């Protein structure tokens, strides 16, 4: 009982700083417990009390955690794109809801909890560009989010909005799109985007 009160307070003290997201190594440092068995027991007690919830192996979240920070901790080299970025820049009207989509190097990974879905779509190394870090979270530029969306839409990925009718093309910078398209090695995709821009921009 003594540990659960102390540990709960530690989580509360660091929740805001860490966005409510705690890796196993961060919890080990926080609790200063050298014994793995004891550490797992303390984490389990926090889960029973609803102070923490295991999202995937090695990552735990507190209530009202920041899903964008969780994405960054799970895959530090990824960047958030698609619906989130398009919505934040008023390129589409809808909000992303309880789903975050990101781009990463390598294989696609999908992580789910009872409330959240985190999709990390894998690409080749030459397509990891066009993003910046904002408050520790990597986010695509609006034009890269647009290209990511159409690129994966052509590969059969579904999005919670109609890519053919719900995009506000007036908020897209055609010159930036053209610069980014130079990095794509798929001539069919480049031609497809050029046709779209000639009609909409």
């Amino acid at each position: 009982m003594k540990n659960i009160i102390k540990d709960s307070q530690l989580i509360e003290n660091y929740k805001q700083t860490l966005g409510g997201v705690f890796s196993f190594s961060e919890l080990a440092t926080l609790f200063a417990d050298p014994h793995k068995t004891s550490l797992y027991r303390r984490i389990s007690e926090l889960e029973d009390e609803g102070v923490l919830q295991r999202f995937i192996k090695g990552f735990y979240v507190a209530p009202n955690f920041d899903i964008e920070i969780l994405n960054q901790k799970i895959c530090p080299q990824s960047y958030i794109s698609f619906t989130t970025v398009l919505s934040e820049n008023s390129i589409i009207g809808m909000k992303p809801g309880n789903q975050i989509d990101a781009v990463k190097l390598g294989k696609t990974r999908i992580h789910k909890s009872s409330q959240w879905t985190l999709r990390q779509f894998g690409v080749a190394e030459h397509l990891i560009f066009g993003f910046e870090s904002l408050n520790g979270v990597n986010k695509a530029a609006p034009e890269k989010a647009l290209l990511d969306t159409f690129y994966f839409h052509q590969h059969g990925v579904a999005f919670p909005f109609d890519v053919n009718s719900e995009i506000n093309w007036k908020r897209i910078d055609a010159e930036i799109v053209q610069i980014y398209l130079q990095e794509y090695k798929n001539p069919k995709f480049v031609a497809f985007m050029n046709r779209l821009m000639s009609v909409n921009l």
Side-chain angles (χ1 to χ4, degrees):
M1 180 59 72
K2 183 179 179 181
N3 268 346
I4 190 68
I5 295 173
K6 177 185 174 184
D7 293 347
S8 297
Q9 190 58 55
L10 279 171
I11 296 298
E12 185 62 32
N13 291 345
Y14 285 90
K15 186 166 67 173
Q16 185 172 354
T17 303
L18 297 174
V21 180
F22 299 82
S23 66
F24 181 81
S25 60
E26 285 170 335
L27 290 172
T29 301
L30 205 59
F31 297 156
D33 193 331
H35 305 292
K36 266 194 173 182
T37 302
S38 172
L39 181 57
Y40 276 117
R41 184 180 67 250
R42 291 166 71 174
I43 293 173
S44 180
E45 290 173 350
L46 290 170
E47 291 181 273
D48 291 341
E49 293 294 322
V51 177
L52 287 180
Q53 177 185 351
R54 182 181 181 273
F55 192 86
I56 62 171
K57 183 178 180 181
F59 294 92
Y60 299 83
V61 295
N64 302 313
F65 71 97
D66 189 325
I67 186 69
E68 295 185 358
I69 290 178
L70 175 63
N71 171 76
Q72 211 64 63
K73 284 192 175 182
I74 291 175
C75 187
Q77 302 307 314
S78 67
Y79 65 88
I80 293 170
S81 187
F82 309 104
T83 309
T84 298
V85 172
L86 296 177
S87 174
E88 288 177 351
N89 289 275
S90 301
I91 295 167
I92 59 173
M94 70 158 297
K95 301 293 183 183
N98 292 342
Q99 179 171 295
I100 288 289
D101 291 340
V103 175
K104 66 181 284 292
L105 180 66
K107 294 182 179 180
T108 293
R109 295 281 185 266
I110 298 177
H111 309 292
K112 290 186 176 182
S113 72
S114 58
Q115 293 180 314
W116 283 95
T117 298
L118 176 55
R119 304 192 299 180
Q120 298 173 330
F121 294 105
V123 297
E125 188 172 4
H126 71 276
L127 294 180
I128 301 289
F129 70 94
F131 63 92
E132 62 178 342
S133 181
L134 302 169
N135 299 317
V137 173
N138 295 335
K139 283 194 175 181
E143 289 73 20
K144 186 58 163 63
L146 179 79
L147 289 173
D148 288 338
T149 298
F150 278 105
Y151 183 83
F152 280 95
H153 177 68
Q154 287 202 329
H155 285 78
V157 174
F159 295 99
F161 64 94
D162 188 340
V163 300
N164 297 309
S165 65
E166 295 185 44
I167 291 175
N168 181 0
W169 288 88
K170 292 179 181 179
R171 298 190 65 84
I172 296 295
D173 188 322
E175 290 185 10
I176 294 177
V177 174
Q178 288 294 339
I179 291 170
Y180 286 166
L181 277 175
Q182 295 175 25
E183 302 298 325
Y184 285 77
K185 298 179 181 180
N186 183 334
K188 288 185 178 180
F189 177 71
V190 173
F192 168 76
M193 288 305 305
N194 281 328
R195 285 195 301 272
L196 268 184
M197 290 191 295
S198 68
V199 171
N200 294 289
L201 290 175

